[in-house]
Amino acid sequence: MRRLHLPLLILVLLSLSLTIFYHKAWNLGFPVLPAQTTDNWIVEARVAFEPTGGAVTARVFLPQDPPGLALLDEHFVSRGYGLTTGTNGENREAVWTTRSPAGRQVLYYRATVYQIGASLPNDTDYPGPAAPVDLEEPFRSAAQAVVDRVRGRSADITSFATVLVRDMNVSTDENMALFVSADAGDRERVRTAIELLAGARIPARMVHGLQLADRARDLQPRTWLEVHNTREWVPINPMDGSVGYPKDFLVWWYGDHEAVELNRARNPQISFAVTRNFQDAVDAAQQRAKLMNSRLVDFSLFGLPVQTQNMYRVLLMVPVGAMIIVLLRNVVGVQTFGTFMPVLIALSFRETELLGGVILFTLIVSLGLAIRFYLEHLKLLLVPRLAAVVSIVVMLMLALSVLSHHLGIEHGLAVALFPMVILAMTIERMSIVWEEHGAGDAIRQGIGSLVVAVAGYLLMINVYIDHLIFVFPELLLIVLAVTLLLGRYTGYRLSELLRFRALARREAN
């Protein structure tokens, strides 16, 4: 059981990290790539009417869970009106009220919607078989003849409805002509289709929506038909019988009702305007999370002050750099001075830029090493010697900054960002290795430290990794899991395989 403890821990860390990542990326829509924007639509409904005296009540249907689209944000503009929202049957509605309005009144509703792909229409519960409409002759016989004729050419509820709608549009059958004329509009055709479908006990309903188009003004709602196939509502185009809503079709309300209902007012007019909008994907995901009442957004780094966010953008990359050090030391076999010194140097490279940082680092370590050898002749104890090295490193950094400023080399001013204590420890350890193992080992480990720092820097400045770690900090659990996994690696390092390759050839021969 003790042997399984670490693998189980790694599996738990990976599962937890990937679960949170999947939820944030696919359900909430947080972008996995930097600088992404989301495509959404701003739809504005303008309601105008004239009061006739007394208190006025205006009821306006609003979109609710439209198929293929989701509501991201909404605003109501109604000066001097009380506002409540609720449901009325299958629809969601806004109710504006005011005591004594004067003159023509205008109300506005603005919604932001975005594409979410295929989804079921609202209210998928099966309503039960439809009750047949009580018709008089000759309409009753004609309706039965139409139903029988369509049933013989269909296989299920959906195909029955599509065949019926096509017959309504192209058939010259005299029975069908009793119900719909050639110049009938969408609404009349849908109303007729619902009556005929009821004769076959098929539940159907009328749907009104908008075909979204960029910079569209004075849009008029289009009427569609939906039939229930005992599992879900299936939309059908009343003009050609095609199944499914077109792309960017916003369902607004259901039923054979007008969008606006007035009390003590007249001449209602509603018009729609649409524009396409591009919004930062992170902002859109945060709004979406709030609408979904997701608690994850409460613990997001985006809720912190901007200055704190910038600090964590750097700190969150330290575990990634540490993992790279573990990989290069334990698997590749690169020798370095210290465990985390290359990570701190790599963080300094973010401010000094790579070439300038490498030159400054090499210059300070070389000069400090020369002075450290001089201090060896003074026979100082360890702590005073380290304190002296720190003082020398600080003076070297000051001298380089002043000199580079006079020479007009602005990169030299960034030398103050180097961690002076780490540089002092590096110089001390390099001098000890030089004395005990020779100059070759000391230079080899110094170059290894610099190589690892450069590798960490290149990883830390990668905009994709920086974005992923900041937006999805739970991915650090994967970094932790990989680090724990590498901690159990006891096999040959790549450098050892290269070192002993001649011996391997000799044994093979």
Side-chain angles (χ1 to χ4, degrees):
M1 185 64 185
R2 186 174 298 176
R3 296 177 59 186
L4 296 177
H5 182 78
L6 182 60
L8 289 176
L9 177 60
I10 293 174
L11 183 62
V12 169
L13 292 175
L14 292 175
S15 301
L16 180 61
S17 175
L18 293 176
T19 299
I20 299 175
F21 173 78
Y22 177 83
H23 175 67
K24 291 175 65 175
W26 297 102
N27 296 337
L28 301 183
F30 279 90
V32 296
L33 296 176
Q36 274 189 299
T37 58
T38 183
D39 186 8
N40 53 43
W41 299 91
I42 297 178
V43 185
E44 184 180 82
R46 180 182 183 274
V47 180
F49 56 87
E50 297 176 3
T52 57
V56 171
T57 301
R59 299 177 179 271
V60 180
F61 289 133
L62 306 177
Q64 180 181 16
D65 300 329
L69 296 167
L71 189 65
L72 182 63
D73 194 13
E74 60 181 0
H75 299 281
F76 301 86
V77 180
S78 51
R79 186 177 181 181
Y81 279 80
L83 172 66
T84 59
T85 59
T87 56
N88 182 1
E90 297 177 299
N91 296 299
R92 176 170 170 258
E93 67 176 6
V95 181
W96 280 282
T97 56
T98 188
R99 179 68 63 178
S100 54
R104 186 170 179 80
Q105 303 293 299
V106 179
L107 309 173
Y108 289 93
Y109 167 75
R110 175 177 292 184
T112 302
V113 297
Y114 63 95
Q115 193 84 27
I116 60 172
S119 65
L120 295 181
N122 189 27
D123 185 17
T124 58
D125 293 337
Y126 182 52
V133 180
D134 188 13
L135 300 174
E136 297 181 354
E137 293 294 347
F139 295 98
R140 180 184 303 171
S141 299
Q144 188 60 47
V146 169
V147 169
D148 293 340
R149 185 169 181 268
V150 171
R151 182 177 287 118
R153 294 181 292 138
S154 59
D156 52 23
I157 293 177
T158 302
S159 61
F160 185 99
T162 57
V163 171
L164 175 64
V165 169
R166 288 169 183 168
D167 284 355
M168 291 174 58
N169 288 284
V170 300
S171 177
T172 57
D173 181 63
E174 58 182 10
N175 292 319
M176 185 67 75
L178 288 174
F179 296 96
V180 60
S181 60
D183 58 349
D186 290 352
R187 193 162 193 157
E188 183 178 350
R189 291 177 183 275
V190 171
R191 190 181 295 120
T192 302
I194 293 175
E195 293 180 356
L196 294 174
L197 288 168
R201 308 302 301 275
I202 297 176
R205 64 183 178 183
M206 185 179 295
V207 183
H208 307 270
L210 301 174
Q211 182 61 58
L212 303 179
D214 190 22
R215 301 180 184 179
R217 301 178 60 187
D218 297 326
L219 275 180
Q220 295 301 315
R222 295 177 56 185
T223 304
W224 278 65
L225 172 68
E226 280 187 0
V227 296
H228 206 290
N229 63 3
T230 71
R231 296 183 304 276
E232 63 187 28
W233 288 102
V234 179
I236 296 176
N237 190 331
M239 299 306 297
D240 58 16
S242 58
V243 177
Y245 290 119
K247 184 180 178 182
D248 299 327
F249 185 82
L250 173 61
V251 173
W252 199 275
W253 80 96
Y254 299 91
D256 194 2
H257 318 287
E258 297 298 330
V260 181
E261 180 182 336
L262 301 175
N263 183 22
R264 294 182 180 176
R266 62 184 181 183
N267 298 332
Q269 295 180 352
I270 183 170
S271 59
F272 299 91
V274 180
T275 184
R276 186 191 295 268
N277 183 47
F278 296 95
Q279 184 180 11
D280 182 75
V282 173
D283 294 338
Q286 288 181 277
Q287 290 179 295
R288 196 174 304 136
K290 291 179 180 178
L291 289 175
M292 297 172 64
N293 294 320
S294 175
R295 300 295 297 174
L296 283 177
V297 73
D298 295 336
F299 302 97
S300 170
L301 292 173
F302 295 101
L304 299 175
V306 175
Q307 184 176 0
T308 307
Q309 291 185 34
N310 293 335
M311 178 183 67
Y312 275 105
R313 281 190 178 273
V314 177
L315 293 181
L316 290 176
M317 298 303 294
V318 173
V320 180
M323 183 189 70
I324 294 300
I325 291 178
V326 173
L327 177 66
L328 293 177
R329 284 174 63 96
N330 289 23
V331 178
V332 180
V334 178
Q335 296 180 344
T336 63
F337 289 117
T339 306
F340 299 108
M341 182 275 289
V343 178
L344 299 177
I345 298 300
L347 290 176
S348 303
F349 287 168
R350 288 169 60 100
E351 306 299 331
T352 62
E353 296 185 0
L354 183 59
L355 181 59
V358 171
I359 294 175
L360 291 173
F361 174 80
T362 305
L363 190 59
I364 291 175
V365 172
S366 300
L367 293 175
L369 190 61
I371 298 175
R372 166 63 181 78
F373 286 138
Y374 168 75
L375 294 177
E376 183 67 24
H377 297 290
L378 301 181
K379 306 299 182 181
L380 300 177
L381 297 177
L382 176 61
V383 175
R385 187 171 66 239
L386 286 176
V389 172
V390 170
S391 300
I392 291 170
V393 167
V394 171
M395 288 187 288
L396 286 174
M397 294 168 63
L398 175 62
L400 286 175
S401 296
V402 173
L403 181 62
S404 61
H405 176 66
H406 283 288
L407 295 177
I409 306 174
E410 297 300 324
H411 288 299
L413 300 176
V415 70
L417 298 174
F418 279 105
M420 62 189 71
V421 176
I422 297 298
L423 288 175
M425 295 297 296
T426 302
I427 293 171
E428 177 67 19
R429 295 191 62 177
M430 191 171 184
S431 65
I432 293 175
V433 173
W434 192 301
E435 293 173 354
E436 295 180 353
H437 302 284
D441 281 352
I443 295 175
R444 190 180 304 111
Q445 291 188 32
I447 294 176
S449 299
L450 194 58
V451 169
V452 173
V454 171
Y457 163 78
L458 294 176
L459 188 70
M460 291 179 181
I461 65 169
N462 187 287
V463 292
Y464 298 101
I465 297 177
D466 180 80
H467 170 82
L468 281 175
I469 296 298
F470 187 77
V471 178
F472 306 97
E474 60 275 4
L475 293 179
L476 289 180
L477 295 176
I478 296 181
V479 174
L480 176 59
V482 173
T483 303
L484 295 176
L485 184 63
L486 292 174
R488 281 288 185 89
Y489 180 75
T490 57
Y492 288 105
R493 297 179 175 90
L494 294 179
S495 59
E496 294 173 341
L497 295 177
L498 294 176
R499 187 191 309 173
F500 299 119
R501 65 180 182 274
L503 180 60
R505 289 198 204 98
R506 189 181 307 166
E507 292 180 354
N509 296 331

